[in-house]
Amino acid sequence: MIVDCAIYRDGRRTQGPADFSDALAQCRGGGDAFVWIGLYEPTEPEFARVAEEFGLHPLAVEDALNAHQRPKLEVYDDSLFVVLKPVGYEPKSDIVSSGEVMVFVGDSFVVTVRHGEEAPLGAVRHRLEAEPETLRHGPTAVLYSIADAVVDHYVDVAGELGTDLEELEAEVFSPTSGGSRHTASRIYAFKRQILEFRRATGPLAQPLDRLAGGGLAGVRVPFVHEKAQPFFRDVSDHLTRVNESVEGLDRLVSDVLSAHLAQMSVRQNDDMRKISAWAAMAAVPTMIAGIYGMNFDHMPELHWLWSYPAVILLMAGLEVLLYRLFKRRGWL
């Protein structure tokens, strides 16, 4: 459905025709003006008229309707198509959720299509309407503001992931607990969330680099003002830091998982040593009792008056000797 449709002239929202096709014609005929249409999860019939009136490419329209796209930048004859993936993070459940924002930029128009709840378009529109100096730069300012808001939220999510990872590290390397039996599954689930985050941040680097003027030499992205390149470069720098942070988190989670598995292996070895030590201590009296329980007539000290206490003392002495030996070697 269409969430909002407005004409912006000289950086300010103005009244215009209710029909967006008339609004587009008025903007193109009036010079410094553009129309911004925002849609939320439109159906194919709802989006068909918008696509026809604004001359949107069929392939881009298909991507906008189906969602589940990677961040990318596509240049068509009459418009520019940019896909962004805003993300959100719920620290209590350790779940990274992502949405999608498709931005069509063309001659005197911006069309935004939002999928999912993780999209800051309403806040971006309100902020831009409070900054007419920025909005005066037209559709380029809208594209920049959306990309900047998405990447700034990446920074926040990366910080929250880092904080939760520190807590997970503290749990794994705690001298008292050393992690529970469910810690490995938690670490693996956390790694999956980092992978989901990477799917949003990693592919976006190349589109932002092109918008910042770092693409093919001499090839400028159409419908983007040349003076906006430094601003896109700033967003690209922020994204680079986010990607470096995500790579560091991914490596650290792998190291934490390896350390936890190593701890579990050492703990199992310690348990096996203890079990073996106790089994060895139990085997000595069992062996002696087994020998004297074979009912032979001719056995050492069998008919001696003190044979029974002597055998008991021998067993106790051997047990004490084995206990001290295993204790000294750290097996008990």
Side-chain angles (χ1 to χ4, degrees):
M1 62 178 180
I2 295 179
V3 177
D4 199 353
C5 176
I7 294 177
Y8 296 91
R9 190 180 304 278
D10 195 28
R12 299 186 182 278
R13 184 166 182 154
T14 62
Q15 295 294 329
D19 187 84
F20 54 80
S21 59
D22 296 334
L24 178 61
Q26 185 181 103
C27 290
R28 286 177 173 172
D32 188 19
F34 70 96
V35 58
W36 179 2
I37 296 180
L39 301 99
Y40 175 70
E41 296 184 356
T43 63
E44 186 172 352
E46 288 174 339
F47 199 48
R49 184 162 174 259
V50 176
E52 181 181 359
E53 291 293 339
F54 288 89
L56 306 182
H57 196 279
L59 293 178
V61 171
E62 181 181 356
D63 289 343
L65 288 172
N66 295 330
H68 304 294
Q69 305 295 319
R70 298 174 72 251
K72 62 180 180 178
L73 168 64
E74 299 286 350
V75 178
Y76 298 103
D77 294 335
D78 299 324
S79 62
L80 184 70
F81 179 58
V82 181
V83 179
L84 304 166
K85 289 183 74 70
V87 299
Y89 180 61
E90 178 53 52
K92 293 183 179 180
S93 58
D94 295 341
I95 294 179
V96 173
S97 57
S98 62
E100 289 186 37
V101 173
M102 286 79 168
V103 184
F104 295 87
V105 177
D107 181 17
S108 302
F109 73 85
V110 178
V111 177
T112 55
V113 181
R114 179 167 65 94
H115 292 270
E117 298 300 324
E118 303 298 337
L121 296 190
V124 170
R125 189 187 286 264
H126 291 315
R127 187 174 71 250
L128 280 174
E129 290 178 354
E131 301 174 357
E133 289 297 326
T134 301
L135 198 56
R136 189 174 286 116
H137 292 88
T140 301
V142 176
L143 177 59
Y144 159 74
S145 298
I146 293 174
D148 185 54
V150 169
V151 174
D152 281 348
H153 196 57
Y154 287 167
V155 176
D156 297 336
V157 172
E160 293 176 354
L161 286 171
T163 300
D164 283 359
L165 181 56
E166 290 176 1
E167 296 175 358
L168 199 56
E169 278 184 292
E171 177 183 339
V172 169
F173 294 106
S174 171
T176 54
S177 66
S180 65
R181 62 180 180 175
H182 301 295
T183 302
S185 60
R186 282 190 58 201
I187 297 173
Y188 183 75
F190 194 82
K191 188 175 179 65
R192 289 295 300 269
Q193 301 310 311
I194 292 178
L195 177 61
E196 180 69 21
F197 190 31
R198 266 181 110 163
R199 288 173 179 165
T201 64
L204 185 57
Q206 185 177 5
L208 283 180
D209 185 56
R210 291 179 62 188
L211 290 170
L216 297 176
V219 178
R220 188 176 67 85
V221 177
F223 307 109
V224 175
H225 200 282
E226 187 176 357
K227 292 183 179 180
Q229 289 181 353
F231 296 94
F232 283 109
R233 194 174 301 121
D234 180 66
V235 177
S236 181
D237 289 341
H238 291 173
L239 180 65
T240 299
R241 290 199 292 271
V242 170
N243 282 328
E244 290 173 352
S245 176
V246 172
E247 289 178 6
L249 289 173
D250 188 51
R251 288 194 299 267
L252 193 55
V253 169
S254 298
D255 292 342
V256 170
L257 180 59
S258 299
H260 175 68
L261 295 178
Q263 282 183 333
M264 296 298 293
S265 178
V266 170
R267 190 180 304 170
Q268 289 175 351
N269 289 337
D270 289 340
D271 293 341
M272 288 301 299
R273 283 201 299 266
K274 291 180 180 179
I275 293 172
S276 299
W278 287 112
M281 292 173 63
V284 171
T286 301
M287 179 187 68
I288 296 175
I291 292 174
Y292 277 88
M294 290 189 294
N295 297 323
F296 290 126
D297 287 333
H298 304 286
M299 296 186 70
E301 309 299 340
L302 185 63
H303 299 288
W304 184 39
L305 179 63
W306 301 101
S307 60
Y308 180 74
V311 170
I312 297 298
L313 288 175
L314 176 63
M315 291 181 184
L318 290 175
E319 290 295 295
V320 171
L321 179 64
L322 288 174
Y323 180 82
R324 294 185 62 183
L325 178 63
F326 289 138
K327 193 71 175 178
R328 187 179 300 115
R329 294 189 175 184
W331 284 38
L332 289 175

Short mmCIF file of all heavy atoms in Angstrom, two decimals, residues 47 51 57-67 69 81 102 104 115:
data_model
loop_
_atom_site.label_atom_id
_atom_site.label_comp_id
_atom_site.label_asym_id
_atom_site.label_seq_id
_atom_site.Cartn_x
_atom_site.Cartn_y
_atom_site.Cartn_z
N PHE A 47 1.37 -2.04 -7.26
CA PHE A 47 2.62 -1.49 -7.74
C PHE A 47 2.65 -1.32 -9.26
O PHE A 47 3.49 -0.59 -9.79
CB PHE A 47 3.77 -2.40 -7.30
CG PHE A 47 5.12 -1.73 -7.33
CD1 PHE A 47 5.32 -0.49 -6.75
CD2 PHE A 47 6.21 -2.36 -7.92
CE1 PHE A 47 6.55 0.13 -6.77
CE2 PHE A 47 7.45 -1.75 -7.94
CZ PHE A 47 7.62 -0.51 -7.35
N ALA A 51 4.65 1.59 -11.28
CA ALA A 51 5.73 1.23 -12.21
C ALA A 51 5.48 1.79 -13.60
O ALA A 51 6.41 2.26 -14.28
CB ALA A 51 5.87 -0.29 -12.26
N HIS A 57 11.80 -0.16 -14.56
CA HIS A 57 12.18 -1.32 -15.35
C HIS A 57 11.50 -2.57 -14.80
O HIS A 57 11.42 -2.76 -13.57
CB HIS A 57 13.69 -1.49 -15.33
CG HIS A 57 14.19 -2.40 -16.41
ND1 HIS A 57 14.17 -3.78 -16.29
CD2 HIS A 57 14.75 -2.12 -17.63
CE1 HIS A 57 14.68 -4.32 -17.38
NE2 HIS A 57 15.03 -3.34 -18.21
N PRO A 58 11.00 -3.47 -15.67
CA PRO A 58 10.29 -4.67 -15.20
C PRO A 58 11.13 -5.55 -14.27
O PRO A 58 10.59 -6.13 -13.33
CB PRO A 58 9.93 -5.40 -16.50
CG PRO A 58 9.93 -4.34 -17.55
CD PRO A 58 10.96 -3.35 -17.14
N LEU A 59 12.43 -5.68 -14.55
CA LEU A 59 13.27 -6.52 -13.68
C LEU A 59 13.37 -5.92 -12.28
O LEU A 59 13.32 -6.66 -11.28
CB LEU A 59 14.66 -6.67 -14.30
CG LEU A 59 14.73 -7.46 -15.61
CD1 LEU A 59 16.16 -7.48 -16.13
CD2 LEU A 59 14.22 -8.88 -15.40
N ALA A 60 13.51 -4.61 -12.21
CA ALA A 60 13.57 -3.96 -10.90
C ALA A 60 12.23 -4.06 -10.18
O ALA A 60 12.18 -4.25 -8.96
CB ALA A 60 13.98 -2.50 -11.06
N VAL A 61 11.15 -3.95 -10.92
CA VAL A 61 9.81 -4.08 -10.33
C VAL A 61 9.64 -5.48 -9.75
O VAL A 61 9.10 -5.66 -8.64
CB VAL A 61 8.73 -3.79 -11.38
CG1 VAL A 61 7.35 -4.14 -10.85
CG2 VAL A 61 8.79 -2.32 -11.80
N GLU A 62 10.09 -6.49 -10.47
CA GLU A 62 9.99 -7.88 -9.99
C GLU A 62 10.78 -8.05 -8.69
O GLU A 62 10.31 -8.69 -7.75
CB GLU A 62 10.51 -8.83 -11.06
CG GLU A 62 10.41 -10.29 -10.67
CD GLU A 62 10.96 -11.22 -11.75
OE1 GLU A 62 11.33 -10.70 -12.84
OE2 GLU A 62 11.01 -12.43 -11.52
N ASP A 63 11.99 -7.48 -8.64
CA ASP A 63 12.80 -7.57 -7.42
C ASP A 63 12.12 -6.86 -6.26
O ASP A 63 12.13 -7.35 -5.12
CB ASP A 63 14.17 -6.95 -7.66
CG ASP A 63 15.04 -7.80 -8.58
OD1 ASP A 63 14.72 -8.99 -8.78
OD2 ASP A 63 16.05 -7.28 -9.10
N ALA A 64 11.51 -5.70 -6.54
CA ALA A 64 10.86 -4.94 -5.48
C ALA A 64 9.65 -5.66 -4.91
O ALA A 64 9.34 -5.54 -3.73
CB ALA A 64 10.46 -3.56 -6.01
N LEU A 65 8.96 -6.42 -5.74
CA LEU A 65 7.77 -7.13 -5.28
C LEU A 65 8.12 -8.41 -4.53
O LEU A 65 7.50 -8.75 -3.53
CB LEU A 65 6.87 -7.47 -6.48
CG LEU A 65 6.12 -6.30 -7.11
CD1 LEU A 65 5.43 -6.75 -8.39
CD2 LEU A 65 5.11 -5.72 -6.13
N ASN A 66 9.14 -9.11 -5.02
CA ASN A 66 9.47 -10.42 -4.44
C ASN A 66 10.34 -10.33 -3.20
O ASN A 66 10.38 -11.26 -2.39
CB ASN A 66 10.18 -11.30 -5.48
CG ASN A 66 9.27 -11.63 -6.65
OD1 ASN A 66 8.05 -11.70 -6.48
ND2 ASN A 66 9.83 -11.82 -7.83
N ALA A 67 11.06 -9.23 -3.05
CA ALA A 67 11.99 -9.05 -1.92
C ALA A 67 13.03 -10.17 -1.91
O ALA A 67 13.30 -10.79 -2.93
CB ALA A 67 11.21 -8.99 -0.62
N GLN A 69 16.24 -9.92 -1.68
CA GLN A 69 17.32 -9.54 -2.59
C GLN A 69 18.58 -9.21 -1.79
O GLN A 69 18.51 -8.83 -0.62
CB GLN A 69 16.92 -8.32 -3.43
CG GLN A 69 15.63 -8.49 -4.20
CD GLN A 69 15.74 -9.57 -5.25
OE1 GLN A 69 16.74 -9.69 -5.93
NE2 GLN A 69 14.68 -10.36 -5.38
N PHE A 81 18.17 1.90 -9.33
CA PHE A 81 17.52 0.96 -8.42
C PHE A 81 18.55 0.51 -7.38
O PHE A 81 19.58 -0.05 -7.71
CB PHE A 81 16.97 -0.24 -9.18
CG PHE A 81 16.30 -1.27 -8.31
CD1 PHE A 81 15.22 -0.92 -7.51
CD2 PHE A 81 16.74 -2.58 -8.30
CE1 PHE A 81 14.60 -1.87 -6.71
CE2 PHE A 81 16.11 -3.54 -7.52
CZ PHE A 81 15.04 -3.18 -6.71
N MET A 102 13.85 -0.94 -1.00
CA MET A 102 14.18 -0.71 -2.39
C MET A 102 13.95 0.76 -2.71
O MET A 102 12.89 1.31 -2.38
CB MET A 102 13.34 -1.57 -3.32
CG MET A 102 13.73 -3.04 -3.34
SD MET A 102 13.09 -3.95 -1.93
CE MET A 102 13.41 -5.62 -2.47
N PHE A 104 13.94 3.57 -5.79
CA PHE A 104 14.00 3.94 -7.21
C PHE A 104 14.23 5.45 -7.27
O PHE A 104 13.46 6.22 -6.68
CB PHE A 104 12.69 3.60 -7.93
CG PHE A 104 12.37 2.14 -8.01
CD1 PHE A 104 11.69 1.50 -6.99
CD2 PHE A 104 12.76 1.41 -9.13
CE1 PHE A 104 11.39 0.15 -7.08
CE2 PHE A 104 12.45 0.06 -9.23
CZ PHE A 104 11.77 -0.57 -8.20
N HIS A 115 9.96 -3.64 2.89
CA HIS A 115 9.52 -4.98 3.30
C HIS A 115 10.06 -5.26 4.70
O HIS A 115 11.24 -5.05 4.96
CB HIS A 115 10.03 -6.05 2.33
CG HIS A 115 9.41 -5.98 0.97
ND1 HIS A 115 8.26 -6.67 0.64
CD2 HIS A 115 9.78 -5.30 -0.15
CE1 HIS A 115 7.96 -6.43 -0.63
NE2 HIS A 115 8.86 -5.60 -1.13
#
